């Protein structure tokens, strides 16, 4: 590993062993530290932020569309079942007259 040293916050000395970054030369290496002076990852780049925003937007669109489609399918199913029940009820009233099993004005037996 590569031993690095830094002073941050003011007056606080730190040392750590890190893996040399690709293309490293002996001119030095940039490390990122948090407010307490501990090693941390570099800040997020604009490209990463842009890609994340696009991925999250597409994900939100996809799942929103999926929820709308699911809601539509459930509503459609409910309406179809209601219509089927209504049709069956109405057919039960009309079928005896339509088939000739019962004549208008005759009493039920």
């Amino acid at each position: 590993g590569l031993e690095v040293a830094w002073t941050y916050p003011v007056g606080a000395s730190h040392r750590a062993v890190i893996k040399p970054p690709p293309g490293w030369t002996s001119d030095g290496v940039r490390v990122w530290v948090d407010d307490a002076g501990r090693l941390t990852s570099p800040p997020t780049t604009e490209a990463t932020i842009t890609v994340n925003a696009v991925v999250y937007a597409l994900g939100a669109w996809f799942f929103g569309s999926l929820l709308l489609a699911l809601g539509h399918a459930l509503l459609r199913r409910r309406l179809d079942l209601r219509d089927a029940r209504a049709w069956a009820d109405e057919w039960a009233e009309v079928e005896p007259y339509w088939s000739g099993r019962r004549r208008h004005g005759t009493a039920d037996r």
Side-chain angles (χ1 to χ4, degrees):
L2 176 64
E3 186 173 338
V4 294
W6 65 96
T7 304
Y8 186 85
V10 176
S13 295
H14 301 274
R15 290 187 175 283
V17 177
I18 65 169
K19 180 181 174 186
W24 176 76
T25 64
S26 61
D27 294 339
V29 64
R30 177 176 288 191
V31 295
W32 299 94
V33 296
D34 62 15
D35 289 338
R38 296 180 301 255
L39 284 176
T40 189
S41 56
T44 307
T45 64
E46 282 187 43
T48 302
I49 292 170
T50 301
V51 168
N52 286 344
V54 169
V55 168
Y56 291 140
L58 288 174
W61 174 82
F62 174 77
F63 286 111
S65 298
L66 186 64
L67 286 175
L68 285 173
L70 180 60
H72 177 265
L74 291 173
L75 179 62
R76 180 67 190 219
R77 176 77 174 141
R78 186 174 182 191
L79 292 174
D80 286 346
L81 288 173
R82 184 196 67 180
D83 289 347
R85 281 191 301 270
W87 187 89
D89 291 345
E90 290 176 19
W91 180 247
E93 288 181 32
V94 171
E95 186 273 334
Y97 298 106
W98 179 82
S99 66
R101 290 189 298 128
R102 187 181 307 154
R103 300 280 176 229
H104 290 287
T106 60
D108 290 336
R109 296 178 198 211

